[in-house]
Amino acid sequence: MDTTSQEQTKKFEPPAATAAAAVETATQTGSKTRVSARDVNVHYGEKQALFDVSIDIPDRGVTAFIGPSGCGKSTFLRCLNRMNDTIEGCRVTGKILLDDVDIANPDLDVVELRARVGMVFQKPNPFPKSIYENVAYGPRIHGMTSSKDELDEIVYSSLRRAGLYEEVKDRLDQPGTGLSGGQQQRLCIARAIATKPEVLLMDEPCSALDPIATAIIEELIDELRENFTIVIVTHSMQQAARVSQKTAFFHLGKLIEEGPTEQIFTNPLDKKTQDYITGRIG
Ligand SMILES: Nc1ncnc2c1ncn2[C@@H]1O[C@H](COP(=O)(O)OP(=O)(O)O)[C@@H](O)[C@H]1O
Ligand SMILES: [Mg+2]
């Protein structure tokens, strides 16, 4: 009897263990939590796409979302800056805090939220405007500058941080759409960081790029992580292993496992994660 009740007590321990793991992760990355999601459920009409997803995204550094196609990675990423609001029939429940502020708060200005939580998409999508205007657009609509000099400074520094300035400094007035794919993606990153976001969401940012452009973007992500909290969706486990410090594995709309990237790839706790990283599923 005693043994049984002890075993039962043990069974109810996982929440404490999970909390301990979370603290450990936070300590390992040496940072506080920037985004905290609890019990996030997402429906598209009748169809449920995410089930009770809870995760803490640490400040600075890169968190990777991996998992088979259709498992809900993009859906969850879009929850973080309320981009799902723009999809008809999409319903999000649960709680998401950005620096302790509930992003579902109706008083919150969504445009401002999306400046604080910037996004880079799979396919580079520069505006049909000049290189300069692509980057100047955000700071201008958010009234971040009071003079042309200040605006110039933000545009140049954003292009520099995105590793693009040297390649385009002599043709800033030319269309952004005239650049190569890899350059366009760096332009989109420059545009996203120009509004000084706290969090940068990247949904498979390299999937339309060749290996050389991909390597440049990965290097860039590695530099940006010092100053930004980056969340990247990738279907490439190699990429997740190269660029992230924390990895979350999704499967059929559920967050199966998360933890330090090295642990997820070398010593996953869940069989599904194991199966995925060894190529048995997905
Ligand atoms: N706009 C949408 N309308 C309806 N269903 C969607 C929409 N976007 C995604 N879904 C569905 O939600 C599930 C998760 O999709 P998604 O988040 O795109 O997965 P992933 O990014 O991991 O490939 C899939 O079943 C997909 O078909
Ligand atoms: Mg996706």
Side-chain angles (χ1 to χ4, degrees):
M1 260 323 245
D2 244 341
T3 329
T4 315
S5 76
Q6 262 180 17
E7 263 170 20
Q8 275 177 353
T9 320
K10 253 192 185 159
K11 270 196 192 134
F12 289 104
E13 270 174 11
T18 311
V23 170
E24 201 185 316
T25 307
T27 321
Q28 278 170 359
T29 53
S31 63
K32 63 182 180 103
T33 294
R34 178 63 87 170
V35 180
S36 173
R38 288 296 173 272
D39 300 320
V40 173
N41 286 277
V42 178
H43 287 79
Y44 293 104
E46 294 290 293
K47 187 176 175 291
Q48 187 160 1
L50 283 182
F51 299 82
D52 292 323
V53 174
S54 297
I55 188 172
D56 286 339
I57 311 259
D59 185 32
R60 314 291 164 97
V62 181
T63 298
F65 292 169
I66 62 167
S69 181
C71 67
K73 305 178 296 294
S74 298
T75 297
F76 186 61
L77 197 71
R78 285 196 298 266
C79 289
L80 305 181
N81 67 350
R82 285 182 52 186
M83 281 293 278
N84 287 319
D85 289 14
T86 63
I87 298 176
E88 211 180 297
C90 185
R91 189 162 51 85
V92 180
T93 62
K95 206 176 195 105
I96 297 172
L97 304 178
L98 170 65
D99 293 333
D100 301 324
V101 174
D102 188 341
I103 68 163
N105 185 332
D107 294 335
L108 190 113
D109 180 349
V110 186
V111 175
E112 197 189 308
L113 172 69
R114 293 187 191 136
R116 290 177 62 193
V117 184
M119 192 150 186
V120 173
F121 299 87
Q122 199 162 345
K123 203 166 161 290
N125 60 346
F127 301 138
K129 290 173 186 285
S130 71
I131 294 169
Y132 182 96
E133 285 302 321
N134 262 277
V135 186
Y137 182 81
R140 201 182 272 132
I141 62 163
H142 292 291
M144 288 171 60
T145 58
S146 52
S147 69
K148 173 81 168 77
D149 281 354
E150 271 183 70
L151 186 60
D152 284 353
E153 183 43 40
I154 291 191
V155 171
Y156 302 157
S157 66
S158 303
L159 285 169
R160 257 187 225 107
R161 291 175 102 171
L164 188 60
Y165 185 73
E166 288 303 320
E167 290 164 54
V168 301
K169 63 182 180 194
D170 300 326
R171 46 175 170 151
L172 292 173
D173 57 343
Q174 293 185 16
T177 47
L179 298 171
S180 74
Q183 288 173 327
Q184 287 189 26
Q185 197 60 305
R186 277 180 281 150
L187 178 61
C188 292
I189 292 171
R191 181 177 69 188
I193 61 180
T195 56
K196 303 195 167 36
E198 285 129 80
V199 182
L200 198 53
L201 309 176
M202 301 180 140
D203 195 346
E204 306 205 24
C206 301
S207 63
L209 306 181
D210 63 52
I212 292 170
T214 297
I216 294 172
I217 300 275
E218 287 185 4
E219 228 168 84
L220 173 60
I221 291 171
D222 202 51
E223 281 161 29
L224 293 173
R225 76 183 166 91
E226 277 180 37
N227 296 299
F228 297 93
T229 297
I230 296 172
V231 187
I232 182 172
V233 169
T234 175
H235 63 259
S236 158
M237 285 185 276
Q238 289 77 7
Q239 179 165 73
R242 282 193 299 263
V243 303
S244 74
Q245 292 74 53
K246 176 170 178 163
T247 294
F249 170 63
F250 289 77
H251 187 241
L252 298 176
K254 292 187 178 134
L255 172 59
I256 304 296
E257 181 169 355
E258 45 135 327
T261 296
E262 201 181 314
Q263 181 242 307
I264 295 289
F265 284 105
T266 56
N267 191 19
L269 303 175
D270 195 285
K271 175 144 192 324
K272 286 194 214 63
T273 316
Q274 174 105 47
D275 286 350
Y276 183 69
I277 61 167
T278 54
R280 275 194 285 270
I281 52 172

